[in-house]
């Protein structure tokens, strides 16, 4: 092990780890170093080809859909769990923070950019093996680099009768990355983290643990039963910086005999509340098993087209008569719902009756769509338009990706909406980070209750329009009792001053919603301050961080902040004869 | 604050807490004391009426359904969260372990008996308030003393359309106690801990935390959304000794429009495997939403009657021709299934068709029962028996409590089976602890797969019969992919030597099942050793215990063992001038 000839140390007062020194009964970790020494150790760990310091690659990793100032000095790409452990060891030894990413596609929340500047990005993309698969018990065990598209292709190749759940982020998104962020999709398995178990986690202390029954060698129920025995630890490794998840079992859904999607609209703003109250009982009683979805006009329009720069005479925000005209042109409501029914033909038929009955008088244009009608509609779109004047092809273009998502088929279609305010069309290979698409996602949770839905969306809409942006909002019945509200704040980073204006709007929005009791289910790298709740809870999290990561090198500040430590260079005068162990 | 004139101390080397002393840079907690001083402080905290030292009450608390040697020096009964905090403070100050119980009805796993002898029992039974209730969002928030029967009465009184989930333990069981043990019931909300959120937890460090969104004052989604934001901590407070859960939100199930139970039998032992494989797809696709259940002949017979001492000429175990005769007399199969369908009439009708189709050729006597047929059957039981010779009344006596449980109606009927080997009849007020009913419950988990079910039950049956007891076994489809197997080992504690023989059988059973990969989902106070898995996991749990409970006073050894500490009286020679702070 090589070390710099002169080293600097900081007081940590924790259990000594290899490479630290103990002086006068106190514990010091190295903090100042020749960065090259650390790079050399990482290179030895993962191979020199997988330690990236090329400026272009670093700039790319530092760039997300809003302004950040974190600088990334290097990217390290381990190939397996042992290399991850070794990478963390080097990080601890040199006191250099590392920031794990799986796919780095955390769009709207910070992509691959570390919360804390100076962090080396630990890119887990090479760990992309599907380690286990069971058709009968319906699960798959994956490494963090496995993407949505990869799993979809894997299932297709095998002619599997299982469906995955996908987010709308993109086929290149990581399954594990989304699950540990507690993201969601659109099928009955929409609450991703709730459909996982058996995590393998590398801790900064150098230990590797397996959660649930996985910690017992040969445990038969390891991939099928979440809790294991004793305290259940899985939750600790979601939305945290306590360990690096290097393996996870994900449960899959058996394809139903029959599938039917439904779509509906509501033409008046006040109609949202009765809609939510009509859908909640169906979600609670299991008639609707999937994460049903209601999007406002802005959300739908931004998925269908870009900002109407010409028609608006370059004015922002979009509102009033032009908005009404666009709704009419595109045949959409102020609120636009979708969802799906899964089961046998008879089960779906009865669910259809119940959805119809619940939405009667509350929604218009309720339509049910299955594979057959979708195929027919595609064929007859043109003659249909001649007869009715309705551009069915355009409607289908909108419906199809959502239709696919409700069957767990990954798509990058929703990404197009991040180009909403751009003045050029989305390219074939979309990359919002690269293309200067401005996007913040803000994701408050509310009870599945009409009054709350109305209050939350009104607060958000008024605030965002007041800041000169469009409030693109969707509400998802993420569980039986809760709504996840996703508010997209899209802008053009190429416009001078827009980064600052959007940031101001975003922070005001978070503040207002929290002040009204609507807290986010997930935070961006710019909003980790929203973790602050009760003092005792915050203090407990800090102590846990200290336990899992005594030197605070793993994703510092990501959801959990460490207790500030006494910093300072080691004084050679105090003890000149120290050496690395 | 009063303290004994002379005190003894033990080295703990943790963050000093109030009342500890720091000497020579090391931290000591008081360990030897005048027990009366602690009792006086507890009395001041909860009132003298709620500190119990009457020998009869202590003996009762020390007694469970198998032999233990833990002695309980006192019972302390706090009335609210503030008193719990104060009780823990006293425990920490004097270094006296405390063992929280909610209802103390942890039958078969140790009832109210502490894992570690000398523990003061912290009885939370007085904290029995229902703090919040929401009919629309379908939840209730309760303290740990709220019993199953109490919640059931509460819902009935209000004419609520919500159903709770109940275990078969007894109406006096605590809801919170069962949920934190991750117990289960029989409705779609059978996985109890999975249907809770928003825990209030008092930590031995003196802090009180609220989990999920509850930590934000006024958060609207606190009672409806599990995860909150940041690391999810709820799991840490299930099956652990990290904190005392003093409040919990429990989700309730809307009563379905229609309910139908089903029952079936299988006359041959090898029929279990195909049955499980037939039911799994229906559970996975949501047709069966409840915790469907298959019990062997021993389980059913022990619920219907006591041991056939006379017919067997006092021989044990029960097996062979006599067992076959009893099955014939009682009209039961070797395997006996039950479950329920919930929904609209049409939903239940379709589910019935699918259950019928799945079980065709695999089960016999498939019957569906609803309120109407149950009422009619009760009326016509006698004439029916005259006509058919079948004792329908006896069958109904068996079916009714299970029927009720599948609708969330608490019952103490299953308790009768704990009197299986007794030579006197169960009394009207059953109390297995008091009445010397011997009972161990062993609860391995397996994948919901026929081969595993067959292997697990065969292993258990052969082993238990070999030890001279009856293997009463049930398998519950607790989740979509997992079977919880509950093995009851019932015996008569009044028989000399039976405690020892049953203990030997129980430990051999746990060992054999674990060696074959079937680990228990829940442990008894006699089997906490089964927590030992991988070293790194065990080490992590020990460190977490140290973080949550630096002096190891909260339920020591319950699921998590503390790191052994250097014990020893404080030496006055080393420093004669110490004082309490």
């Amino acid at each position: 092990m090589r070390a710099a000839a002169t080293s600097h140390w900081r007081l940590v007062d924790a259990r000594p780890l290899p490479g630290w020194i103990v002086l006068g009964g106190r514990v010091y970790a190295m903090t100042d170093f020749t960065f090259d020494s650390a790079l050399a150790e990482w290179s030895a760990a993962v191979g020199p080809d997988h330690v990236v310091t090329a400026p272009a690659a670093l700039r790319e990793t530092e760039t997300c859909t809003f302004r950040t100032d974190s600088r990334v000095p290097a990217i390290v790409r381990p190939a397996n769990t042992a290399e991850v452990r070794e990478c963390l060891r080097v990080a601890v030894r040199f006191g250099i923070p590392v920031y794990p990413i799986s796919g780095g596609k955390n769009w709207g929340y910070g992509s691959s950019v570390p919360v804390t500047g100076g962090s080396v990005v630990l890119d887990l993309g090479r760990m992309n093996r599907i380690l286990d698969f069971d058709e009968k018990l319906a699960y798959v065990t994956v490494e963090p680099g496995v993407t949505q598209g990869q799993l979809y292709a894997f299932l297709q190749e095998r002619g599997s009768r299982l469906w995955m759940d996908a987010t709308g982020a993109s086929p290149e998104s990581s399954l594990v990355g989304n699950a540990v962020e507690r993201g969601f999709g659109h099928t009955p398995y929409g609450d991703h983290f709730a459909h996982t178990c058996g995590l393998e986690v590398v801790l900064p202390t150098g230990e590797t643990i397996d959660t649930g029954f996985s910690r017992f060698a040969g445990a038969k129920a390891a991939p099928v039963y979440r809790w294991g025995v004793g305290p259940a630890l899985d939750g600790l490794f979601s939305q945290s910086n306590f360990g690096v998840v290097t393996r996870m079992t994900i449960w899959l859904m058996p394809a139903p005999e029959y599938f039917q999607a439904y779509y509906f609209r509501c033409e008046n703003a006040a109609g949202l509340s009765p809609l939510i109250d009509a859908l909640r009982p169906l979600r609670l009683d299991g008639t609707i098993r999937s994460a049903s979805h209601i999007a406002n006009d802005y959300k739908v329009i931004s998925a269908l087209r870009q900002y109407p720069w010409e028609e608006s005479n370059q004015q922002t925000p979009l509102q009033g008569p032009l908005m009404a005209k666009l709704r009419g042109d595109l045949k959409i409501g102020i609120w636009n719902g979708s969802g799906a029914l899964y089961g046998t033909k008879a089960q779906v038929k009865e669910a259809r009756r119940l959805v119809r009955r619940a939405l009667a008088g509350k929604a218009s244009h309720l339509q049910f769509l299955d594979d057959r009608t979708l195929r027919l509609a595609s064929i007859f779109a043109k003659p249909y338009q001649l007869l009715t004047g309705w551009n069915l092809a355009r409607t289908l273009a909108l419906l199809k990706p959502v239709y696919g998502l409700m069957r767990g088929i990954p798509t990058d279609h929703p990404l197009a909406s991040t180009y909403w305010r751009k003045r050029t069309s989305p390219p074939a290979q979309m990359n919002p980070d690269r293309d200067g698409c401005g996007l913040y996602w803000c994701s408050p949770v509310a009870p599945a209750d009409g009054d709350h839905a109305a209050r939350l969306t009104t607060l958000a809409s008024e605030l965002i329009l007041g800041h000169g942006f469009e409030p693109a909002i969707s509400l998802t019945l993420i569980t039986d009792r809760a709504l996840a509200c996703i508010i997209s704040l899209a802008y053009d980073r190429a416009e001078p001053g827009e980064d600052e204006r959007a940031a101001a709007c975003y922070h005001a929005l978070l503040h207002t919603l929290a002040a009204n009791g609507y807290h986010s289910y997930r935070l961006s790298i710019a909003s980790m301050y929203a973790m602050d709740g009760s003092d005792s809870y915050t203090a407990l999290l800090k102590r846990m961080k200290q336990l899992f990561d005594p030197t605070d090198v793993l994703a510092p500040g990501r959801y959990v902040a460490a207790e500030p430590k006494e910093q300072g260079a080691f004084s050679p005068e105090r003890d000149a004869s120290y050496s690395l162990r």
Side-chain angles (χ1 to χ4, degrees), chain A:
Chain A
M1 208 185 288
R2 295 168 301 139
T6 60
S7 300
H8 288 82
W9 304 84
R10 60 179 170 139
L11 186 62
V12 289
D13 270 348
R15 278 194 319 151
L17 296 178
W20 295 8
I21 57 170
V22 182
L23 283 171
R26 314 204 71 171
V27 178
Y28 295 82
M30 193 176 356
T31 181
D32 198 2
F33 54 89
T34 309
F35 189 70
D36 288 348
S37 304
L39 284 185
E41 292 205 15
W42 275 316
S43 286
V46 302
D49 291 351
H50 300 294
V51 175
V52 180
T53 51
L58 300 181
R59 290 309 83 77
E60 204 179 300
T61 302
E62 288 164 5
T63 306
C64 72
T65 59
F66 47 83
R67 201 186 61 187
T68 60
D69 51 14
S70 289
R71 290 293 156 257
V72 174
I75 302 164
V76 178
R77 311 197 305 132
N80 54 49
T81 300
E83 290 187 11
V84 169
R85 196 163 46 231
E86 186 62 9
C87 287
L88 287 186
R89 193 195 59 75
V90 175
V92 167
R93 174 165 147 68
F94 289 93
I96 305 173
V98 289
Y99 190 81
I101 62 169
S102 299
K105 305 288 188 292
N106 197 15
W107 315 112
Y109 297 106
S111 304
S112 58
V113 183
V115 172
T116 299
S119 299
V120 166
V121 165
L122 194 66
D123 177 354
L124 307 176
R126 287 173 70 210
M127 299 177 66
N128 63 355
R129 290 177 301 165
I130 294 176
L131 299 168
D132 191 10
F133 171 66
D134 191 306
E135 177 83 21
K136 193 165 61 171
L137 292 166
Y139 67 80
V140 65
T141 303
V142 298
E143 291 185 324
V146 175
T147 65
Q148 299 196 127
Q150 185 185 347
L151 177 58
Y152 184 73
F154 175 91
L155 295 172
Q156 292 292 104
E157 274 162 25
R158 267 152 199 78
S160 169
R161 300 249 327 128
L162 301 173
W163 285 1
M164 58 180 282
D165 188 280
T167 71
S170 107
E172 279 74 48
S173 299
S174 157
L175 295 162
V176 171
N178 189 266
V180 297
E181 276 297 288
R182 301 201 295 252
F184 63 89
H186 302 258
T187 74
Y189 285 40
D191 184 352
H192 286 171
F193 193 67
H195 291 86
T196 67
C197 74
L199 279 52
E200 176 186 78
V201 189
V202 179
L203 306 181
T205 51
E207 293 155 304
T208 302
I209 61 157
D210 293 277
T211 68
F213 282 133
S214 299
R215 80 185 146 109
F216 300 111
K220 307 296 185 201
V224 295
Y225 185 74
R226 165 188 311 289
W227 305 121
V229 61
L233 304 190
D234 292 27
L236 292 185
F237 304 107
S238 66
Q239 295 191 357
S240 87
N241 53 10
F242 294 165
V244 181
V245 177
T246 47
R247 192 174 63 209
M248 176 183 269
T249 291
I250 296 175
W251 298 329
L252 302 171
M253 171 189 169
E257 178 188 304
Y258 183 56
F259 166 86
Q260 200 168 43
Y262 57 88
Y263 300 89
F264 58 86
R265 302 183 213 162
C266 176
E267 314 289 355
N268 65 314
L272 176 65
S273 180
L275 279 177
I276 296 292
D277 289 333
L279 291 172
R280 181 190 56 247
L282 298 182
R283 185 78 163 102
L284 267 170
D285 75 16
T287 297
I288 296 178
R289 294 164 54 217
S290 63
S292 200
H293 189 88
I294 298 179
N296 73 356
D297 43 5
Y298 288 106
K299 188 88 162 196
V300 178
I301 291 175
S302 66
L304 287 175
R305 56 162 294 164
Q306 289 178 280
Y307 196 88
W309 289 114
E310 209 163 304
E311 301 94 309
S312 67
N313 288 320
Q314 315 294 321
Q315 295 298 299
T316 55
L318 174 60
Q319 56 186 332
L322 178 53
M323 189 64 189
K325 180 180 176 302
L326 285 179
R327 275 199 302 270
D329 290 354
L330 297 168
K331 304 254 189 266
I332 61 167
I334 287 186
W335 297 105
N336 306 273
S338 63
L341 307 171
Y342 306 78
T344 62
K345 283 230 168 188
Q347 285 172 335
V348 170
K349 185 183 167 199
E350 174 64 358
R352 196 163 60 227
R353 181 183 75 83
L354 296 169
V355 168
R356 248 191 241 287
R357 189 176 69 179
L359 295 181
K362 301 184 183 79
S364 67
H365 298 82
L366 176 62
Q367 296 175 61
F368 294 89
L369 204 61
D370 64 10
D371 289 352
R372 191 163 158 276
T373 50
L374 193 66
R375 211 161 43 237
L376 286 175
S378 306
I379 296 168
F380 293 111
K382 277 217 172 133
Y384 185 79
Q385 185 172 9
L386 287 174
L387 277 171
T388 64
W390 185 17
N391 187 342
L392 185 58
R394 173 172 260 169
T395 305
L396 288 175
L398 168 65
L399 297 188
K400 267 188 174 171
V402 179
Y403 184 89
L405 276 175
M406 292 190 288
R407 307 175 54 118
I409 303 172
T411 172
D412 62 4
H413 187 269
L415 267 193
S417 64
T418 63
Y419 291 78
W420 166 243
R421 284 271 195 117
K422 302 297 288 184
R423 287 162 190 269
T424 52
S425 303
Q429 291 298 316
M430 292 181 283
N431 183 334
D433 295 333
R434 175 199 63 200
D435 296 337
C437 303
L439 177 69
Y440 281 103
W441 270 337
C442 173
S443 43
V445 185
D449 169 81
D451 290 346
H452 281 296
R455 181 162 167 71
L456 167 57
T457 52
T458 303
L459 277 169
S461 295
E462 289 175 356
L463 187 144
I464 293 171
L465 283 169
H467 278 77
F469 299 99
E470 291 74 38
I473 299 177
S474 68
L475 293 159
T476 301
L477 289 152
I478 176 70
T479 68
D480 291 0
R481 287 163 184 76
L483 295 173
C485 174
I486 305 294
I487 305 168
S488 308
L489 181 59
Y491 66 101
D492 184 359
R493 298 197 65 201
E495 287 287 316
E498 285 289 87
D499 263 344
E500 291 70 24
R501 282 189 288 274
C505 175
Y506 171 70
H507 294 295
L509 180 63
L510 274 177
H511 178 80
T512 298
L513 294 178
N516 283 274
Y518 303 113
H519 297 267
S520 292
Y521 93 87
R522 177 175 179 180
L523 299 176
S524 79
I525 61 165
S527 61
M528 291 298 166
Y529 60 81
M531 277 295 290
D532 286 345
S534 80
D535 290 346
S536 55
Y537 196 93
T538 303
L540 176 63
L541 288 184
K542 282 184 196 296
R543 291 209 302 279
M544 294 183 73
K545 176 63 174 171
Q546 166 75 16
L547 182 148
F548 281 100
D549 182 14
T551 52
D552 192 28
V553 293
L554 184 59
R558 185 165 182 83
Y559 289 103
V560 185
E563 200 65 63
K565 292 220 169 287
E566 188 186 329
Q567 299 282 337
F570 168 65
S571 147
E573 292 79 51
R574 197 162 37 169
D575 191 332
S577 62
Y578 63 90
S579 65
L580 287 177
R581 288 177 302 177

